[in-house]
Amino acid sequence: MLTSLLQLLQRKNSNASTNIVIAGGGSTACELAQTIARLCFVKSDDINVNVTIVAPSMLPSEDVPARYAARKILEADGATIITGHRVTGCCRASDLNSVDNH
């Protein structure tokens, strides 16, 4: 995975846009999203980190204020939180990755 992240960082200044989808809203998924967002300086337009969650909110085992705070921090770091969607598949289309979610 480290090699993939380094390759992603090298692509950062290319003309191609990169979308990263992290399926799940638990603590590991949130930590991964934040790490990638911070490493890739996601606030630029060429790398997008999306956390896709089936549930209505992330971090279901935490209390509501903690969930809210974590979401705000992730969004401030540049990640997009998508709730109420299930990732049903992932495939490579040409040189781009596409994700089906419903």
Side-chain angles (χ1 to χ4, degrees), residues 23-102:
S27 58
T28 302
C30 292
E31 290 173 11
L32 181 61
Q34 185 177 40
T35 299
I36 294 171
R38 287 182 173 181
L39 281 174
C40 296
F41 309 105
V42 173
K43 291 178 183 168
S44 66
D45 291 330
D46 54 353
I47 299 175
N48 305 300
V49 175
N50 302 289
V51 180
T52 303
I53 308 162
V54 174
S57 66
M58 53 189 252
L59 299 170
S61 62
E62 301 298 329
D63 59 15
V64 173
R67 287 185 229 163
Y68 179 80
R71 182 178 182 133
K72 291 299 172 193
I73 290 168
L74 278 172
E75 289 173 339
D77 285 338
T80 300
I81 311 300
I82 304 166
T83 58
H85 286 79
R86 177 183 306 274
V87 174
T88 59
C90 182
C91 64
R92 182 173 286 280
S94 299
D95 291 330
L96 302 174
N97 286 328
S98 63
V99 175
D100 297 327
N101 65 42
H102 304 283

